[in-house]
Amino acid sequence: MRPYTITGKKDTRSGFGDAMTLLGETDPRVVALCADLTGSLKLNTFAKENPDRFFQAGIAEANMISVGAGLALGGKVPFVTTFAAFATGRVYDQIRQSVAYSCTNVKIAASHAGITLGEDGATHQIMEDIGLMKMLPNMVVINPCDYNQTKAATLAAAAYQGPVYLRFGRPTEPIYTPADEPFEIGRAVRWSEGKDVTILATGHLMWRAIQATEQLEREGIGVDLLNIHTIKPLDTEAILASVRKTGCVVTCEEHMINGGLGDSVSQLLTQNQPVPQEYVAVNDHFGESGTPEELLVKFHLDTPDVIAAVRRVMARKK
């Protein structure tokens, strides 16, 4: 297992907000737009320090996307921000036409993604957003795992020329990636080396995958664990090299089983290296109100579920 140190607990959205504060100081092209959720997106400091570069769009997400596209065409680097449920499903037509099809340099920063939004319930817990975004030509899809990686991913998105969907969440999570680790779009990060099973994890489920890997390694099971922070473009080289070594794979994501990381990996393996695969994901079900911890357990996204999936896929391999 790669050595790591837990340096605290923060929500990944705070990593986005702190990166935006830094970009406000270092990149005059960066502007931010928000759909009446400035505090939730951690943009208060950016707005205060850059009042001429912050635009409150109100509860008018479709208009916000269009304004962002216009700003991009004018040479700015706009981050359009709201909850993931509103940043994707509510404004898909505007994203498709004005951002993806036109290939404008718009960054869609989506907070409160997945089931761990918690008590706000099913209407706000979008688990289809990765699928919606990855199907769009020209769109990069990033789902970082902790505060530090979200901050680094935001800086990388600002430097990237083209549309980006950046997904992050509400709950506090352990901070375990190095603060100075470079973020490379489309390049997986290896966390452990093993020959028995591949685990591919993204977003909040990366921490559960790390915990599962530690337990499995204590049992003598060699885990090849990769942090797939970029869903599109997928690091196909790293994934194929891993599954050719292990012969089986478990994908872990806080997303619907259809359309997410597991779906992308399945397509890759079908065409190149068919092996047994198990999915830790939400299985065709809307969410419900509850604490993040309760919902991870209820929808089978917790550490024991990763371990159970590993045992199933290894039995299939045998």
Side-chain angles (χ1 to χ4, degrees):
M1 171 69 74
R2 169 182 173 171
Y4 66 89
T5 301
I6 297 175
T7 57
K9 290 186 73 174
K10 280 188 180 180
D11 43 13
T12 49
R13 59 183 169 144
S14 289
F16 169 73
D18 288 349
M20 290 299 293
T21 298
L22 180 59
L23 287 168
E25 299 167 352
T26 58
D27 191 341
R29 302 172 305 149
V30 170
V31 299
L33 300 85
C34 194
D36 202 30
L37 290 166
T38 309
S40 294
L41 271 294
K42 303 295 184 179
L43 285 171
N44 286 329
T45 301
F46 182 93
K48 181 180 179 180
E49 295 182 352
N50 308 279
D52 58 336
R53 291 157 59 192
F54 176 77
F55 304 94
Q56 180 54 264
I59 306 174
E61 293 87 353
N63 184 60
M64 178 177 67
I65 295 293
S66 299
V67 172
L71 286 164
L73 291 172
K76 302 299 182 183
V77 181
F79 281 79
V80 295
T81 69
T82 184
F83 287 4
F86 311 141
T88 56
R90 181 174 288 182
V91 292
Y92 197 68
D93 181 56
Q94 285 73 23
I95 293 173
R96 183 179 186 272
Q97 307 291 16
S98 299
V99 178
Y101 175 70
S102 302
C103 201
T104 51
N105 194 30
V106 176
K107 320 304 174 184
I108 302 166
S111 183
H112 293 59
I115 200 83
T116 52
L117 171 55
E119 290 86 349
D120 284 5
T123 57
H124 287 46
Q125 293 166 348
I126 192 163
M127 292 170 286
E128 311 89 64
D129 55 314
I130 289 174
L132 288 169
M133 292 295 105
K134 79 174 189 179
M135 286 191 292
L136 292 171
N138 300 319
M139 185 67 71
V140 167
V141 179
I142 299 174
N143 187 33
C145 66
D146 72 349
Y147 166 88
N148 283 339
Q149 192 169 75
T150 304
K151 184 176 180 180
T154 304
L155 300 177
Y160 176 83
Q161 180 65 37
V164 174
Y165 179 64
L166 180 62
R167 182 190 209 245
F168 42 92
R170 177 187 188 184
T172 57
E173 292 281 327
I175 304 169
Y176 52 91
T177 64
D180 58 351
E181 184 169 67
F183 187 93
E184 188 173 349
I185 293 173
R187 183 60 61 90
V189 180
R190 183 176 299 281
W191 272 78
S192 70
E193 298 230 21
K195 296 182 179 180
D196 296 321
V197 62
T198 296
I199 299 179
L200 307 175
T202 188
H204 289 148
L205 260 62
M206 182 60 195
W207 177 242
R208 280 80 194 169
I210 289 173
Q211 294 177 300
T213 296
E214 290 175 337
Q215 179 170 329
L216 290 163
E217 289 185 340
R218 286 194 293 269
E219 299 175 13
I221 297 173
V223 178
D224 220 47
L225 173 61
L226 298 178
N227 176 2
I228 310 295
H229 53 66
T230 307
I231 312 297
K232 181 185 176 186
L234 197 64
D235 191 344
T236 57
E237 182 178 342
I239 293 170
L240 289 173
S242 179
V243 298
R244 284 173 180 146
K245 177 173 59 174
T246 65
C248 61
V249 61
V250 173
T251 51
C252 308
E253 58 192 315
E254 188 187 348
H255 189 270
M256 206 69 75
I257 197 169
N258 296 320
L261 169 64
D263 188 53
S264 291
V265 170
S266 178
Q267 291 181 41
L268 173 67
L269 300 181
T270 298
Q271 295 173 333
N272 295 276
Q273 186 73 28
V275 300
Q277 179 177 352
E278 290 286 335
Y279 303 79
V280 177
V282 178
N283 191 5
D284 198 31
H285 201 287
F286 286 108
E288 61 183 70
S289 183
T291 68
E293 293 78 13
E294 290 170 338
L295 294 169
L296 287 169
V297 171
K298 180 178 178 65
F299 289 92
H300 306 292
L301 304 178
D302 208 0
T303 300
D305 303 298
V306 178
I307 294 170
V310 166
R311 299 199 195 286
R312 290 195 305 270
V313 84
M314 290 183 64
R316 290 174 57 197
K317 181 175 72 167
K318 292 178 181 178

